[in-house]
Amino acid sequence: MERHNGVIIEIEEEALGVLVSGEEDFVFHAVHPAVQRLHGKRFADGVAARREAMKAFRSAA
């Protein structure tokens, strides 16, 4: 069985999505409408995912 670990990405106590680690990368699962364009996008690391989620959230405001 394959095991995945997830981390919630949030800004200002607002959940944006869940970042799930895979074998070689991380997949972003959006939960906030402002970041839906990132849903399913793969990232090399959590820092890049958080940066993109924050940019998307701020640009939607």
Side-chain angles (χ1 to χ4, degrees), residues 2-61:
E2 193 173 336
R3 182 180 174 154
H4 295 283
N5 293 322
V7 174
I8 296 172
I9 294 179
E10 59 184 17
I11 184 171
E12 300 167 8
E13 298 184 21
E14 186 81 36
L16 302 181
V18 178
L19 191 62
V20 178
S21 64
E23 291 183 22
E24 297 181 16
D25 56 8
F26 297 85
V27 180
F28 185 79
H29 297 277
V31 297
H32 193 284
V35 297
Q36 285 299 309
R37 68 179 181 86
L38 298 176
H39 185 77
K41 186 170 181 180
R42 296 181 178 276
F43 293 92
D45 57 50
V47 174
R50 180 172 172 74
R51 182 175 41 246
E52 288 301 312
M54 288 175 45
K55 281 183 4 185
F57 181 78
R58 289 187 174 133
S59 69

